[in-house]
Amino acid sequence: MELNEWKIKNKTAKKYAHFDNKVPLNKVWDYINNPENVIHHGFYPFIHYEKKFNKYKFDKVSNTGKVVPKTRELCYSAHVDRYIYSYYSFKLNREYNEYVKNHGIDNVALAYRDNLHKNNIHFAKRAFDFIKEKGSCYVIIGDFTKFFDNLDHKFLKK
């Protein structure tokens, strides 16, 4: 994604309530595009809530299914904060895409990439095709619970 694409995607304020007023991107662009402003920006706290819903879970052993309650934690940032998070995420993603390309791991690192124009189904098929071709191999699956919740925000801001 190029900067103009990002600007078009983010030009209007999202419609949700927070402590600050909704504001279009063109009103805050000079502010968020200046790293010195971001260094000293006072971020509002997130508005947090839990979304509760039901999920159908199938048990292969008993060959039965049941509905189980599930919760998902959601957080909303203030409107200006959202622009900052989104813009710097865009900038980091561009650097990341360039890094994996320059280090020969462009086909290995898949998470948080916006330039591959594929989804998890494409990558899963590629993985299954590879396993099928090799005949025998090991697969390692990892999941980091609350990974982003535990990042050092002072380090990120720096």
Side-chain angles (χ1 to χ4, degrees):
M1 179 186 310
E2 294 300 318
L3 181 59
N4 276 344
E5 291 176 272
W6 180 86
K7 282 183 169 183
I8 290 167
K9 181 180 172 188
N10 289 279
K11 72 179 179 180
T12 57
K14 301 287 183 191
K15 293 179 169 72
Y16 60 89
H18 210 287
F19 300 119
D20 65 345
N21 293 321
K22 296 176 193 119
V23 59
L25 178 62
N26 64 344
K27 299 279 187 193
V28 295
W29 173 249
D30 290 339
Y31 180 80
I32 70 167
N33 192 34
N34 182 335
E36 201 58 35
N37 291 335
V38 175
I39 288 169
H40 299 291
H41 180 74
F43 288 87
Y44 279 103
F46 290 118
I47 291 180
H48 171 263
Y49 76 96
E50 288 183 346
K51 181 178 182 179
K52 297 179 182 200
F53 57 97
N54 292 323
K55 186 173 181 179
Y56 183 78
K57 197 167 192 165
F58 184 76
D59 183 4
K60 292 178 186 175
V61 176
S62 66
N63 204 26
T64 60
K66 64 181 177 178
V67 175
V68 293
K70 185 166 172 100
T71 59
R72 181 173 180 208
E73 294 188 39
L74 298 171
C75 294
Y76 285 101
S77 60
H79 294 88
V80 173
D81 297 356
R82 179 191 73 82
Y83 284 125
I84 292 171
Y85 293 135
S86 179
Y87 178 55
Y88 285 88
S89 171
F90 162 77
K91 290 173 68 104
L92 284 169
N93 193 272
R94 289 178 71 187
E95 293 290 325
Y96 178 57
N97 288 335
E98 194 63 31
Y99 179 88
V100 297
K101 184 178 172 186
N102 292 339
H103 287 79
I105 56 173
D106 196 35
N107 289 326
V108 177
L110 303 174
Y112 306 104
R113 304 279 303 278
D114 69 355
N115 66 335
L116 299 177
H117 309 292
K118 295 181 179 176
N119 62 34
N120 288 347
I121 295 168
H122 295 103
F123 300 124
K125 181 178 182 332
R126 192 170 91 188
F128 284 118
D129 289 347
F130 178 84
I131 293 167
K132 204 182 299 180
E133 178 187 313
K134 295 298 175 195
S136 177
C137 63
Y138 292 97
V139 176
I140 300 171
I141 298 171
D143 185 16
F144 301 93
T145 303
K146 297 194 176 187
F147 175 76
F148 292 103
D149 297 343
N150 294 303
L151 291 176
D152 182 347
H153 291 87
K154 288 179 186 174
F155 175 77
L156 289 176
K157 193 169 181 179
K158 184 178 174 187

